């Protein structure tokens, strides 16, 4: 059995400001269907799924950073946030303010 590598210490990211757009690069979970050999698993494990998500920061809670893809700013009678994305902080590689 292969040794488990220790988790890397989380990076220090900038303080995020509500309603400001950011680009977040993060590693998503991924998987494959079917039967694989240990060698095939070793090949796949070295090719993680990296994602870029762009959106407006809303909040951080329970280890999740919440970005939304759109905001309504002109009406009080309408839900203000469109298409929220919940990104686990521990999976984040970089954050860039736009």
């Amino acid at each position: 059995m292969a040794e488990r590598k220790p988790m890397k210490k989380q990076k220090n990211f900038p303080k995020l400001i509500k309603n400001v757009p950011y680009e977040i690069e993060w590693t998503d979970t991924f998987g494959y269907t079917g039967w694989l050999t240990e060698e095939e698993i070793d090949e796949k494990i070295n090719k993680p799924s990296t994602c870029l998500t762009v959106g407006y920061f809303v909040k951080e809670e329970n280890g999740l950073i919440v970005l939304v893809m759109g905001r309504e700013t002109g009406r009080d009678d309408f839900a203000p946030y469109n298409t929220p994305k919940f990104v686990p902080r521990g999976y984040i590689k970089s954050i860039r303010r736009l």
Side-chain angles (χ1 to χ4, degrees), residues 61-72:
E61 195 168 315
N62 296 328
L64 299 170
I65 291 181
V66 182
L67 299 179
V68 295
M69 305 302 101
R71 294 175 41 238
E72 169 60 53

Side-chain angles (χ1 to χ4, degrees), residues 14 19 27 42 53 60 71 75 88:
N19 295 326
T27 302
D42 288 344
T53 298
E60 180 175 356
R71 294 175 41 238
R75 293 175 51 180

Side-chain angles (χ1 to χ4, degrees), residues 24-29 49-53 87-88 91-93:
I24 297 181
E25 180 181 12
W26 58 288
T27 302
D28 198 1
T29 60
S49 176
T50 300
C51 301
L52 275 180
T53 298
V87 181
Y91 290 29
I92 294 174
K93 297 168 79 173

Side-chain angles (χ1 to χ4, degrees), residues 19-24 53-58 66-71 85 96 98:
N19 295 326
V20 170
Y22 292 91
E23 174 188 84
I24 297 181
T53 298
V54 174
Y56 294 94
F57 174 70
V58 175
V66 182
L67 299 179
V68 295
M69 305 302 101
R71 294 175 41 238
K85 302 293 182 185
R96 182 171 67 95
L98 300 178

Side-chain angles (χ1 to χ4, degrees), residues 31-53:
Y32 297 88
T33 59
W35 295 88
L36 300 175
T37 66
E38 189 169 344
E39 290 78 19
E40 291 170 319
I41 289 173
D42 288 344
E43 289 174 18
K44 306 280 188 207
I45 206 166
N46 291 316
K47 298 177 184 171
S49 176
T50 300
C51 301
L52 275 180
T53 298

